[in-house]
Amino acid sequence: MSKRYFMEMFYLQSGLGQNPARQCAIGAGLSESTVCTTVNKVCASGLKAVIIGAQTIITGNANVVVAGGTESMSNTPHYLPVLRTGAKYGDQTLVDGVLKDGLTDAYGKQPMGFQGEECVTDYGFNREQQDEYAIRSYQKAQSAEKQGFSSKEIAPIEVSGGRGKPNLVVEKDEETKNLNIDKLKALKPSFIPGTGTVTAANASPLSDGASALVLVSEAKLKELNLKPIAKILGWGDAEKAPSKFTTAPSLAIPKALKHARVNAAQVDAYEINEAFSVVALANIKILGLDPEKVNVHGGAVALGHPLGSSGSRILITLLSVLGEKKGKIGVAGICNGGGGASALVVESLQ
């Protein structure tokens, strides 16, 4: 297809070996001349990979880019930090790699659910609003699956069925079927006993997943006679205090719209990653968005949040929504640990 490819991905990287993006490229059958870069922007990595891929094409350093992300949270190892220097006395504790590198604020040293609770307090939400949002996310995802919308985004994958059992084909997201409204409303708070409002059910579940998109230059598009799905119009990144990462999309999205020279009134659909239900609720409130335009096919609360993949996954879902709704302009925004967010604006050509 091209003299040069470029692939970018992110993982909870411990124990995976050198440059996981390169491993994905070679494993997928791309040539050994493929240039590969692994990106670590926590939850925004997949979307940031797309942004860097677009920039790489614009600068003339590539004309075809495969960009996306992948994550296997279930395979993330535990660490024993003292092992290299030796443990001379006393008990030693294993460190959970998912918590250490994915779900703990590196500055406040707290699980990020506490920052979800901080957002709840900052913007005046309650438990009922978060639970209702989560229920609606599941219901929208179930509806999209039933109507065949989500199947257009999914490449079936064959996985091991376990010892002595036949392999299984995964062709739908596994979490969407797990909605139990009575149980969801009865769950205890996960972070602040008694008075807390963030629970395991109104937050996104731990998940494995992968997603990717192919980006091409206009010249390569014409050369290969390809039919494009969408055009990237602009992007933006933003940062605020680490504990306020939940609302960083409210800064990144306007920057992306300005870069794209698009007015917010022109936007037909938004995808805002649901790290917690309150993340979507707060950014909808701050930006004054129509909730009916946000996460139309459900979000991470119902689908899962495989950290490195979610940024590119929400972009793929956004393109699906625009196609189904005959929309033109879409915006994807995702927060990331440390106080940041990335956003991207696309024009559907479907």
Side-chain angles (χ1 to χ4, degrees):
M1 286 175 61
S2 170
K3 64 182 181 180
R4 187 169 187 178
Y5 297 76
F6 197 86
M7 177 176 277
E8 303 179 283
M9 295 188 175
F10 158 80
Y11 298 62
L12 288 170
Q13 291 171 241
S14 293
L16 291 174
Q18 298 175 339
N19 195 0
R22 176 72 168 171
Q23 296 179 50
C24 286
I26 298 299
L30 299 185
S31 75
E32 292 184 349
S33 64
T34 304
V35 178
C36 304
T37 302
T38 299
V39 175
N40 187 338
K41 198 173 187 284
V42 206
C43 306
S45 300
L47 193 60
K48 188 62 178 178
V50 174
I51 293 169
I52 296 174
Q55 293 168 336
T56 303
I57 290 174
I58 289 171
T59 57
N61 289 294
N63 46 36
V64 178
V65 175
V66 179
T70 184
E71 195 78 73
S72 182
M73 299 178 81
S74 66
N75 282 307
T76 302
H78 286 71
Y79 314 143
L80 190 56
V82 301
L83 193 59
R84 186 169 297 279
T85 56
K88 295 180 174 60
Y89 181 78
D91 297 335
Q92 302 302 319
T93 302
L94 290 172
V95 176
D96 185 345
V98 171
L99 281 176
K100 174 68 174 178
D101 293 330
L103 303 180
T104 298
D105 173 30
Y107 309 94
K109 309 300 182 184
Q110 286 184 318
M112 296 173 78
F114 285 98
Q115 297 169 344
E117 293 283 10
E118 185 175 321
C119 183
V120 170
T121 300
D122 287 347
Y123 293 94
F125 293 106
N126 57 39
R127 168 70 183 269
E128 182 180 6
Q129 289 171 304
Q130 293 171 79
D131 284 352
E132 289 301 325
Y133 183 92
I135 292 166
R136 182 62 180 141
S137 183
Y138 273 97
Q139 291 172 338
K140 289 190 290 186
Q142 290 172 348
S143 176
E145 185 177 282
K146 184 177 181 180
Q147 295 179 74
F149 298 155
S150 56
S151 64
K152 296 177 182 179
E153 305 172 24
I154 297 174
I157 301 293
E158 186 174 292
V159 300
S160 172
R163 183 179 297 179
K165 298 180 180 179
N167 288 349
L168 302 173
V169 176
V170 179
E171 54 189 357
K172 64 174 74 173
D173 290 311
E174 294 180 318
E175 176 61 28
T176 56
K177 66 181 183 298
N178 293 333
L179 174 63
N180 181 321
I181 294 177
D182 291 337
K183 184 177 179 180
L184 183 150
K185 291 183 176 181
L187 283 178
K188 294 181 179 180
S190 295
F191 302 98
I192 302 176
T195 59
T197 62
V198 176
T199 70
N202 64 35
S204 56
L206 304 183
S207 306
D208 296 346
S211 51
L213 305 94
V214 179
L215 315 179
V216 299
S217 66
E218 184 177 12
K220 183 59 66 173
L221 182 85
K222 293 177 179 177
E223 176 189 329
L224 299 176
N225 194 29
L226 299 175
K227 183 179 180 181
I229 296 173
K231 179 180 180 181
I232 295 173
L233 299 182
W235 51 80
D237 296 292
E239 300 282 347
K240 53 196 311 189
S243 70
K244 306 297 184 182
F245 80 94
T246 49
T247 54
S250 69
L251 300 179
I253 287 172
K255 289 177 71 173
L257 288 169
K258 183 177 180 180
H259 185 236
R261 298 181 181 179
V262 169
N263 189 290
Q266 298 174 263
V267 179
D268 298 300
Y270 289 88
E271 284 288 322
I272 297 177
N273 192 55
E274 298 168 358
F276 306 99
S277 291
V278 73
V279 170
L281 287 168
N283 285 283
I284 288 170
K285 182 176 183 178
I286 295 167
L287 294 171
L289 305 182
D290 178 356
E292 295 302 313
K293 291 184 176 183
V294 179
N295 299 353
V296 175
H297 288 173
V301 166
L303 300 173
H305 179 20
L307 307 183
S309 177
S310 289
S312 42
R313 197 282 299 167
I314 65 170
L315 179 55
I316 293 168
T317 300
L318 177 65
L319 297 175
S320 176
V321 169
L322 290 172
E324 294 298 335
K325 300 296 183 181
K326 308 301 180 186
K328 183 178 181 182
I329 303 296
V331 178
I334 183 167
C335 58
N336 62 259
S342 294
L344 187 80
V345 182
V346 294
E347 177 185 356
S348 177
L349 302 175
Q350 302 171 73

